[in-house]
Amino acid sequence: LIQLFDESLKVLLSDMRKALSEQNDPLEKFRVFIRMHLDSVEKYQSLAEVMQLELRQSSKFMKEHTPKRFAEYLNLISDIIRKGQEMDIIRKDMHPAMMKRAIFGAMDEIALGWVLSKQRKSKTYELAECADKLADIFLASLTLSKQEP
């Protein structure tokens, strides 16, 4: 399972870096990141189930896994925030390390809810719609308003 997790994250990291490099605007990069993350949950549903349910419960995984690639993945979020701060688009009082965890936590909870609802064959929501709404929520708090310096 650990090797599967690492290999999957390696591919996602590569794809994400490529997609982000095609964008110049940090706000659009932010949207692309969230969309791609949640798209991958839907595209690789079986893998998402393993990641969301099995690995979380594995004490061996938690003890033995060094999350180097996962840290790289999360750092893509903080890099976007820093770039936006440098361009005076994102508020400077938003700490990138804290925000990357908050943003990932929100995406992770949406993914977990979606996976569980699929397993229970209950009513679910569209992840693409969630991605857009989640980006809107975070960008509303991260970005400078017209009145702020």
Side-chain angles (χ1 to χ4, degrees), residues 12 17 19-20 26 41 49 53-54 61 69 73 82 87 89 104 107 109 112 122 126 142:
L12 181 58
R17 282 186 174 131
L20 294 176
V41 170
E49 288 178 18
L53 304 174
E54 301 301 326
F61 173 77
R69 281 202 182 100
Y73 187 72
R82 274 191 211 88
M87 296 172 68
I89 297 171
F104 182 79
M107 291 188 306
E109 280 299 313
L112 178 60
S122 60
E126 296 296 319
L142 285 171

Side-chain angles (χ1 to χ4, degrees), residues 16 29 38 42 45-46 51 67 82 100 104 106 122 131 135 139:
M16 188 70 78
K29 283 183 185 224
L38 293 178
E42 193 163 22
Q45 184 176 342
S46 296
M51 301 302 170
R82 274 191 211 88
K100 75 180 177 185
F104 182 79
S122 60
L139 288 175

Side-chain angles (χ1 to χ4, degrees), residues 89-105:
I89 297 171
I90 293 180
R91 294 171 37 190
K92 292 188 184 334
D93 65 332
M94 293 295 187
H95 195 280
M98 177 197 65
M99 291 310 301
K100 75 180 177 185
R101 285 179 170 68
I103 292 161
F104 182 79

Side-chain angles (χ1 to χ4, degrees), residues 14-149:
S14 174
D15 291 348
M16 188 70 78
R17 282 186 174 131
K18 182 180 183 305
L20 294 176
S21 73
E22 296 169 359
Q23 303 295 324
N24 292 320
D25 178 11
L27 303 183
E28 190 53 36
K29 283 183 185 224
F30 186 80
R31 288 184 180 284
V32 166
F33 186 94
I34 292 175
R35 264 188 233 120
M36 281 189 69
H37 180 84
L38 293 178
D39 284 350
S40 71
V41 170
E42 193 163 22
K43 185 176 180 183
Y44 304 107
Q45 184 176 342
S46 296
L47 180 61
E49 288 178 18
V50 170
M51 301 302 170
Q52 291 291 325
L53 304 174
E54 301 301 326
L55 288 181
R56 285 178 182 215
Q57 303 303 315
S58 171
S59 59
K60 180 180 180 183
F61 173 77
M62 299 308 254
K63 285 181 202 167
E64 294 179 9
H65 184 258
T66 304
K68 181 180 182 280
R69 281 202 182 100
F70 183 66
E72 287 178 50
Y73 187 72
L74 287 183
N75 285 339
L76 293 174
I77 300 170
S78 53
D79 292 346
I80 293 167
I81 292 170
R82 274 191 211 88
K83 184 66 172 172
Q85 288 172 329
E86 290 168 11
M87 296 172 68
D88 291 325
I89 297 171
I90 293 180
R91 294 171 37 190
K92 292 188 184 334
D93 65 332
M94 293 295 187
H95 195 280
M98 177 197 65
M99 291 310 301
K100 75 180 177 185
R101 285 179 170 68
I103 292 161
F104 182 79
M107 291 188 306
D108 193 48
E109 280 299 313
I110 288 169
L112 178 60
W114 186 84
V115 165
L116 290 173
S117 69
K118 287 287 192 184
Q119 281 192 339
R120 295 177 186 140
K121 296 182 179 22
S122 60
K123 187 177 179 195
T124 188
Y125 40 82
E126 296 296 319
L127 288 177
E129 182 181 336
C130 290
D132 291 336
K133 290 186 184 318
L134 187 59
D136 289 344
I137 290 166
F138 275 105
L139 288 175
S141 65
L142 285 171
T143 54
L144 292 169
S145 68
K146 301 284 186 227
Q147 296 84 6
E148 293 181 69

